[in-house]
Amino acid sequence: MTPPDTSEVIRTIAAETNTSSETVSKLYADTWAEFSEGASVYAYVPLFVAKRVRATLLDAQKQPH
């Protein structure tokens, strides 16, 4: 299954995390593939994917460079 139209979610996460839309889009697609593989119920997959992507990007910002 492919992700639904996620353009608004991607724009929101990009703005919240000060990350490019392209980066967020790629991470979202990768995370979607990970979460949807073998899933029998997809109702909450978009919510979980958005939450994971947001957390991943925010955690990366907190790490010292």
Side-chain angles (χ1 to χ4, degrees):
M1 182 173 182
T2 59
D5 180 27
T6 58
S7 57
E8 184 61 33
V9 172
I10 289 170
R11 278 194 297 272
T12 300
I13 293 172
E16 290 175 355
T17 61
N18 196 27
T19 306
S20 72
S21 293
E22 294 81 18
T23 301
V24 175
S25 180
K26 171 76 170 108
L27 184 56
Y28 192 98
D30 292 347
T31 305
W32 179 273
E34 177 187 340
F35 275 51
S36 63
E37 183 178 331
S40 57
V41 177
Y42 292 92
Y44 297 106
V45 171
L47 174 69
F48 296 143
V49 170
K51 185 174 180 176
R52 169 70 63 87
V53 169
R54 186 177 287 110
T56 298
L57 293 169
L58 290 173
D59 286 346
Q61 291 176 357
K62 293 178 185 175
Q63 299 297 321
H65 296 270

